[in-house]
């Protein structure tokens, strides 16, 4: 009986050591992911590299002809998008040319002299046709606008769930009816915020109910971790409990790096 009791005690101690080892491995995995995410993520204040491009000089007759055709096509494109006989102050930015000055007070309304482009007709408040008019615009560069006033490209290749959060270089363009100073197409560094359609509630429910069989990890596309939980019975329950906490706080996300919906 003494030998049997000693054997049971030894097996119990071995199971406890195995559980502690599993916790240590999981904590090391979390720490390594944070360190790798920090080292691989670009600096928050780093601006994307800008490469100036020079337009080629075309002097041959064929090139001049192509340039003339392209100019006519561009003219037709903007004339089709510019309303005819509308208010001059309501015209889109591509329909007018303004002499913007940068010596103004930030955020304050400033008057600028503008001229309509060729083949564009507009009227003033009295209904009279005019080509030159004054436009009131807030003194603000395009990249300083509110995020609702421009559209940016989206990236589906960056990790949204990482420590720290990652950013990507986005190309943004100001909306047609918004007027601002500087370039209307600019670069901006945004947080990764795309989604692949995975639901946080579904992942949490699977982790609570079937987490011991790795169902939550399989659902998130993490099949290696899912197999590990399946064959270890959820790490004897410890791995399951940890995954419930990590999924609950949103640390463990889809394998493709997207956000929950």
């Amino acid at each position: 009986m003494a030998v049997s009791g000693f054997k049971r005690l030894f097996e119990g101690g071995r199971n406890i050591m195995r559980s502690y080892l599993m916790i240590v491995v999981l904590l090391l995995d979390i720490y390594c992911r944070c360190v790798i995410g920090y080292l691989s993520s670009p600096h928050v204040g780093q601006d994307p590299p800008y490469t100036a491009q020079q337009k080629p000089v075309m002097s041959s007759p064929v090139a001049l002809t192509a340039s003339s055709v392209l100019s006519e096509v561009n003219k037709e494109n903007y004339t089709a998008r510019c309303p005819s006989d509308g208010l001059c102050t309501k015209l889109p930015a591509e329909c007018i040319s303004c002499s913007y000055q940068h010596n103004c007070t930030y955020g304050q309304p400033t008057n600028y002299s503008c001229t309509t482009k060729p083949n564009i007709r507009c009227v003033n408040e009295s209904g009279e046709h005019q080509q030159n008019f004054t436009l009131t615009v807030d003194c603000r560069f395009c990249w300083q606008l509110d995020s609702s006033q421009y559209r940016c490209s989206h990236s589906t290749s960056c990790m949204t769930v990482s420590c720290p959060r990652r950013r990507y270089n986005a190309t943004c363009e100001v909306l047609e009816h918004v007027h601002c100073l500087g370039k209307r197409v600019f670069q901006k560094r945004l947080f990764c915020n795309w989604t692949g359609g995975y639901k946080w509630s579904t992942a949490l429910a699977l982790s609570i109910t079937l987490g011991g069989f790795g169902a939550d990890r399989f659902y998130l596309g993490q099949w290696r971790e899912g197999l590990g939980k399946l064959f270890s019975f959820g790490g004897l329950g410890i791995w399951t409990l940890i995954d419930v906490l990590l999924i609950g706080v949103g640390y463990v996300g889809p394998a493709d790096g997207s956000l929950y919906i």
Side-chain angles (χ1 to χ4, degrees), residues 203-216:
L204 183 60
L206 289 175
S207 183
I208 295 175
T209 57
L210 300 175
F213 302 99
D216 50 351

Side-chain angles (χ1 to χ4, degrees), residues 145-163:
L145 293 173
D146 186 77
S147 58
S148 61
Q149 296 179 312
Y150 55 82
R151 293 186 296 262
C152 295
S153 59
H154 297 281
S155 174
T156 58
S157 59
C158 60
M159 298 291 292
T160 58
V161 182
S162 62
C163 180

Side-chain angles (χ1 to χ4, degrees), residues 7-227:
K7 185 177 181 180
R8 291 180 181 177
L9 180 63
F10 176 76
E11 291 180 352
R14 186 171 59 180
N15 292 333
I16 294 175
M17 291 298 297
R18 185 182 302 173
S19 301
Y20 280 122
L21 181 62
M22 185 70 67
I23 295 175
V24 171
V25 171
L26 290 176
L27 293 177
L28 286 176
D29 179 65
I30 295 173
Y31 176 77
C32 291
R33 289 188 181 184
C34 289
V35 172
I36 293 174
Y38 177 78
L39 294 178
S40 60
S41 61
H43 195 272
V44 173
Q46 182 181 2
D47 294 329
Y50 173 76
T51 303
Q53 298 180 354
Q54 296 182 353
K55 296 183 179 179
V57 178
M58 299 180 294
S59 58
S60 63
V62 177
L64 291 177
T65 303
S67 177
S68 301
V69 173
L70 183 61
S71 178
E72 292 295 331
V73 172
N74 291 335
K75 183 184 295 185
E76 292 180 0
N77 288 338
Y78 77 74
T79 53
R81 292 189 293 268
C82 297
S84 179
D85 295 332
L87 286 175
C88 296
T89 55
K90 300 297 183 181
L91 286 174
E94 63 177 343
C95 304
I96 59 177
S97 299
C98 299
S99 57
Y100 292 115
Q101 302 294 330
H102 298 166
N103 55 348
C104 55
T105 304
Y106 174 77
Q108 297 298 321
T110 308
N111 296 328
Y112 298 101
S113 298
C114 300
T115 304
T116 58
K117 290 186 177 181
N119 301 327
I120 303 299
R121 300 179 59 186
C122 64
V123 298
N124 56 14
E125 301 291 342
S126 303
E128 300 175 353
H129 287 88
Q130 59 179 7
Q131 187 176 4
N132 301 319
F133 60 96
T134 300
L135 181 67
T136 302
V137 179
D138 289 340
C139 181
R140 187 179 288 113
F141 285 98
C142 294
W143 59 270
Q144 296 175 321
L145 293 173
D146 186 77
S147 58
S148 61
Q149 296 179 312
Y150 55 82
R151 293 186 296 262
C152 295
S153 59
H154 297 281
S155 174
T156 58
S157 59
C158 60
M159 298 291 292
T160 58
V161 182
S162 62
C163 180
R165 291 185 64 186
R166 295 189 180 182
R167 296 172 181 256
Y168 70 98
N169 294 338
T171 301
C172 304
E173 183 177 2
V174 182
L175 299 179
E176 293 80 4
H177 65 280
V178 179
H179 300 276
C180 55
L181 308 182
K183 296 182 178 180
R184 299 184 62 82
V185 179
F186 54 91
Q187 298 289 322
K188 204 172 185 69
R189 292 180 60 77
L190 303 177
F191 286 112
C192 302
N193 60 351
W194 66 285
T195 179
Y198 295 92
K199 292 184 177 181
W200 172 82
S201 58
T202 302
L204 183 60
L206 289 175
S207 183
I208 295 175
T209 57
L210 300 175
F213 302 99
D216 50 351
R217 294 282 185 164
F218 285 123
Y219 171 73
L220 296 175
Q222 303 175 6
W223 59 272
R224 294 184 182 87
E225 291 82 354
L227 290 175

Side-chain angles (χ1 to χ4, degrees), residues 225-243:
E225 291 82 354
L227 290 175
K229 293 183 68 175
L230 177 62
F231 290 110
S232 66
F233 299 103
L236 300 178
I238 299 178
W239 193 350
T240 302
L241 179 60
I242 293 177
D243 268 0

